Structure formats: C-alpha cells, structure tokens
Amino acid sequence: MSNAPGTPTASIGLRTAAHVGISVGDLDRSVAFYRALLGTEPVVRDETMHGPGFAQSQGLPVTKLRYATFNLDNLGIDLIQFLDPAGEPAQGAANRPGTMHLCFLVDDVYAVHARMREAGFDFLGEPYTFAEGEVNPADALGTQVAYFNDPDGTNLEIIAPRGGFARPE
C-alpha cells in the first residue's frame, strides 16, 4: 500500500464534510486554544481510541489516542493527540505541499483581528484586502483575510469575502 494517492479514474461526488481532524501535541493546550478561539466548549472531551483494527485503518501498526471535538454550525473540529505512536511535529508552512488550512468566516477581518490581538492571539502578518491586479477572479476583490497558527502550527485563517460566500446547496 502506497502513501501517495494515484490518479483518480472516476468522479466520486463527495459534497458534504463532516469534520476536520487536527493532530496536536498536547490535547489540553489545544482545547484551551480552540475554546478561546471558538467561544464554546468541546462536545466531546478527553475520549480515547485504540486497538489493532483502528490502527490498521490509519496505516499504523498500533495506535492509542485521545481526542476532543468542537462543533461549529457547519463542521466538526476533532483535536487528536496520538499517545502511541507519538508523531513528530509537522513543518506546516503555508507553501509546503500537503499542508492544509482551516478558514473561519467572519463579517469584518479587521475588527475580528483587533479583538483577537487584544485577547492574545498572534498573527503571521497584518490583515490584507485583495487588491486589483493581485487576484483573479475579479469578484474576489475586496475580500479580507488574516492568517494565524494554532499551538502546533496548524494554519488558520479568518476571511470576510466581499459580497459574502456562495454556499453550496
């Protein structure tokens, strides 16, 4: 079994996401961070999973983990701390292939950025508004973004699209 996916030969048609899983080094630290960020308590906290079948489903010889789940209006966030085997921290810079980011929709990036800075969140840079000549398609002009990381370096974003998001039906 290869870790690299092959070239798909057919369209599957998946259209609804259930959750995103984020591997963390310290579950308690990450729960505190996401609790502050989201303003809510996890719906599941300090649960465990282990066993040979579960390990094999993840391509591991063994596994034992603890996790917590936060539910947003449209997506769950699973924070997963692998106890056995514990992994090495990822080098999650935005330009590294395989790196993902999780984006949160807000009404005004500059206002939320200011509130987050006051609350102690660190950002990778200042908020930015997409300008003419720098973004295509043109209807993205005026979109506001700001980027930050969680305690393990997971890339996070806040975004306020000009004209709002077109949500899939």
Side-chain angles (χ1 to χ4, degrees):
M1 180 188 313
S2 170
N3 289 336
T7 302
T9 59
S11 174
I12 303 303
L14 303 179
R15 296 187 44 85
T16 303
H19 68 269
V20 60
I22 301 173
S23 293
V24 302
D26 180 327
L27 184 63
D28 298 321
R29 176 186 68 187
S30 292
V31 164
F33 176 89
Y34 282 90
R35 181 189 299 122
L37 179 65
L38 304 173
T40 188
E41 293 294 323
V43 295
V44 172
R45 173 75 192 265
D46 205 20
E47 297 290 325
T48 61
M49 294 181 78
H50 58 88
F54 179 64
Q56 288 178 341
S57 75
Q58 298 206 351
L60 297 169
V62 297
T63 193
K64 181 177 181 182
L65 59 85
R66 46 189 293 249
Y67 69 96
T69 300
F70 286 89
N71 281 340
L72 304 179
D73 291 342
N74 61 340
L75 185 72
I77 301 173
D78 289 350
L79 304 176
I80 306 161
Q81 179 182 0
F82 281 83
L83 303 171
D84 186 20
E88 294 295 318
Q91 300 296 318
N95 65 336
R96 295 180 69 102
T99 298
M100 57 81 64
H101 75 269
L102 177 58
C103 181
F104 298 95
L105 182 62
V106 301
D107 291 328
D108 181 334
V109 163
Y110 292 88
V112 173
H113 176 269
R115 286 198 328 266
M116 289 176 68
R117 291 291 301 256
E118 277 183 25
F121 288 89
D122 292 323
F123 282 81
L124 300 175
E126 293 301 311
Y128 175 73
T129 302
F130 293 154
E132 190 168 347
E134 295 180 336
V135 65
N136 191 15
D139 61 357
L141 291 175
T143 295
Q144 304 168 349
V145 295
Y147 299 92
F148 59 109
N149 290 342
D150 77 3
D152 290 291
T154 300
N155 298 304
L156 302 172
E157 174 185 6
I158 53 176
I159 188 170
R162 184 189 82 175
F165 267 122
R167 297 226 183 255
E169 296 181 26

